[in-house]
Amino acid sequence: GQQVMQIPQYQHVQEGEDFTTYCNSSTTLSNIQWYKQRPGGHPVFLIQLVKSGEVKKQKRLTFQFGEAKKNSSLHITATQTTDVGTYFCAGNSGNTPLVFGKGTRLSVIA
Amino acid sequence: KAGVTQTPRYLIKTRGQQVTLSCSPISGHRSVSWYQQTPGQGLQFLFEYFSETQRNKGNFPGRFSGRQFSNSRSEMNVSTLELGDSALYLCASSLALGGSAQFFGPGTRLTVL
């Protein structure tokens, strides 16, 4: 079945440094979504990408969807302590359910 | 709009017992999905309901079941609990099936002793 791999598993950065997490699917995706889960919280929807090569920005966050629609990335510029949490990508094809990556846990050292 | 609500928030059961978890989706959302989250396995898809019908099912044993009511509220049931069922069970609602954005509830933390 479809698999979504996410790297790295953990990332520790100094406040102000940049951060990137990568997501790769074993199959071509209809769309890719990104979620953030704060410690002790639940996943919160951030964004959805549907077009090949699509790039979207939300303030310091930049999301990309690969040309082949099999990979994606989330880049955070100048991390802040409020960015702490686990970032998940999730993708699907057609009406199949979303498959989540295992997430990247981001720690920010002030 | 009110968010997704889940009850109970915490539950402690013993092996062999059964449990029922409840989820109320965001008003207007007709699709409800359930996920199991554990530290080792991440978010694992259990099932997805739309208009009272199970549309997709994950790779879990038959001890895990669910249903959706006409008001879109959903329940999931786990029978004959095992220690490995200890997890955070998350419900998510969305407007449509498949690739729609998922809006998660706070989860039910189940501990099996």
Side-chain angles (χ1 to χ4, degrees), chain A residues 42-104:
Chain A
H42 56 275
V44 174
F45 173 77
L46 293 177
I47 206 159
Q48 179 180 43
L49 305 170
V50 297
K51 297 178 184 176
S52 169
E54 189 170 12
V55 178
K56 287 189 176 180
K57 292 190 176 184
Q58 288 181 350
K59 297 183 180 178
R60 295 178 294 104
L61 278 60
T62 302
F63 305 84
Q64 294 189 341
F65 200 8
E67 294 289 341
K69 300 185 76 174
K70 295 181 74 173
N71 63 293
S72 181
S73 65
L74 158 59
H75 179 84
I76 302 178
T77 304
T79 55
Q80 301 175 358
T81 54
T82 52
D83 296 324
V84 164
T86 301
Y87 293 85
F88 294 95
C89 63
N92 83 311
S93 300
N95 275 335
T96 61
L98 279 176
V99 175
F100 281 78
K102 291 198 173 183
T104 296

Side-chain angles (χ1 to χ4, degrees), chain B residues 30-66:
Chain B
R30 296 170 63 190
S31 177
V32 172
S33 297
W34 289 89
Y35 298 86
Q36 181 194 66
Q37 186 174 35
T38 57
Q41 295 299 318
L43 276 159
Q44 300 283 303
F45 171 76
L46 281 157
F47 19 69
E48 179 178 33
Y49 287 88
F50 185 86
S51 294
E52 302 178 66
T53 302
Q54 187 179 92
R55 304 298 179 130
N56 287 296
K57 189 177 191 304
N59 190 25
F60 278 82
R63 301 184 296 108
F64 291 80
S65 63

Side-chain angles (χ1 to χ4, degrees), chain B residues 51-108:
Chain B
S51 294
E52 302 178 66
T53 302
Q54 187 179 92
R55 304 298 179 130
N56 287 296
K57 189 177 191 304
N59 190 25
F60 278 82
R63 301 184 296 108
F64 291 80
S65 63
R67 57 179 177 169
Q68 186 180 34
F69 302 96
S70 59
N71 61 357
S72 294
R73 191 176 68 84
S74 178
E75 288 181 348
M76 68 162 280
N77 183 278
V78 189
S79 62
T80 320
L81 285 166
E82 300 176 359
L83 294 179
D85 296 333
S86 294
L88 180 66
Y89 289 88
L90 291 160
C91 164
S93 76
S94 59
L95 283 170
L97 284 170
S100 294
Q102 306 272 295
F103 295 88
F104 285 84
T108 295

